[in-house]
Amino acid sequence: MLKLLALDRFTISLFFMIFLASVLPVRGSVAELFNQITVIAIAMLFFQHGAKLSREAVIAGIMHWRLHTLVFAFTFILFPCLGLLAKPILMPVLGETLYWGFLFLCCLPSTVQSSIAFTSVANGNVAGAICSASFSNIIGMFITPILVAFFILGQNQHDYDPTSAIVKIVLLLLLPFILGQLLR
């Protein structure tokens, strides 16, 4: 049955965790603890991929400009346009506030860890996924506020300083990956 639905253990676990979080949301100090556990798990994931991937695979992933261009075009052009095109259908169904939230999601890049996890499950180019998703998220820190200001707020000015987010991404993703590569 699962093969018929093309569901793997990761996808089933993902749906289960969404259900569990909906039924039993974590709050307070437990939420802070889970946040720290999540940060450690993400850093370990990048460390493992850094230790697992050969330098040649990493360099090939960095140099895969066609992949990066395609991911960039889908993330910051196609998905926001689809969100705007869906406005006549979704606005009456969702209401204004939820529609703007949907459009905001259309302007966001995917999470790096989900890009890597799904690519790994599909036996795809993990090095390319790491490079492309990281690049997309770093660029997204600059482009997403501009898209949101332009499409949602109706203006093209924004007050957003991405410095702390860039430092966090470098410490959480890039540093463990580099350490994994060095220890390889």
Side-chain angles (χ1 to χ4, degrees):
M1 171 90 178
L2 294 178
K3 287 188 179 195
L4 180 67
L5 296 173
L7 295 176
D8 54 67
R9 286 182 290 176
F10 178 78
T11 306
I12 293 168
S13 299
L14 190 63
F15 282 124
F16 176 73
M17 295 310 285
I18 291 170
F19 171 76
L20 190 62
S22 299
V23 176
L24 297 169
V26 178
R27 294 186 176 101
S29 61
V30 177
E32 292 175 24
L33 175 66
F34 272 98
N35 184 45
Q36 292 173 355
I37 291 170
T38 301
V39 167
I40 292 168
I42 292 169
M44 289 179 66
L45 174 74
F46 275 83
F47 176 80
Q48 284 180 313
H49 281 296
K52 179 181 172 184
L53 294 170
S54 68
R55 283 191 181 76
E56 294 80 20
V58 172
I59 292 169
I62 291 170
M63 303 305 286
H64 202 315
W65 64 270
R66 289 182 299 189
L67 171 67
H68 306 314
T69 303
L70 185 66
V71 168
F72 184 85
F74 268 77
T75 303
F76 299 114
I77 298 171
L78 180 67
F79 292 145
C81 288
L82 289 175
L84 287 172
L85 290 173
K87 183 178 181 180
I89 298 166
L90 293 179
M91 184 75 85
V93 174
L94 298 177
E96 185 176 7
T97 304
L98 275 177
Y99 169 73
W100 292 125
F102 172 79
L103 185 59
F104 176 69
L105 286 175
C106 290
C107 296
L108 289 173
S110 71
T111 63
V112 178
Q113 55 270 34
S114 67
S115 299
I116 293 166
F118 285 124
T119 302
S120 180
V121 166
N123 294 322
N125 181 355
V126 174
I130 289 171
C131 296
S132 192
S134 298
F135 175 70
S136 177
N137 274 267
I138 290 169
I139 296 299
M141 288 185 286
F142 299 100
I143 291 180
T144 298
I146 294 168
L147 290 173
V148 168
F150 185 72
F151 292 129
I152 296 176
L153 302 176
Q155 49 188 306
N156 54 13
Q157 298 177 355
H158 60 88
D159 294 325
Y160 176 67
D161 181 18
T163 307
S164 65
I166 291 172
V167 169
K168 185 177 178 181
I169 284 178
V170 167
L171 291 176
L172 182 63
L173 309 178
L174 190 59
L175 183 62
F177 184 80
I178 291 171
L179 288 174
Q181 278 285 293
L182 291 174
L183 289 175
R184 181 175 163 71

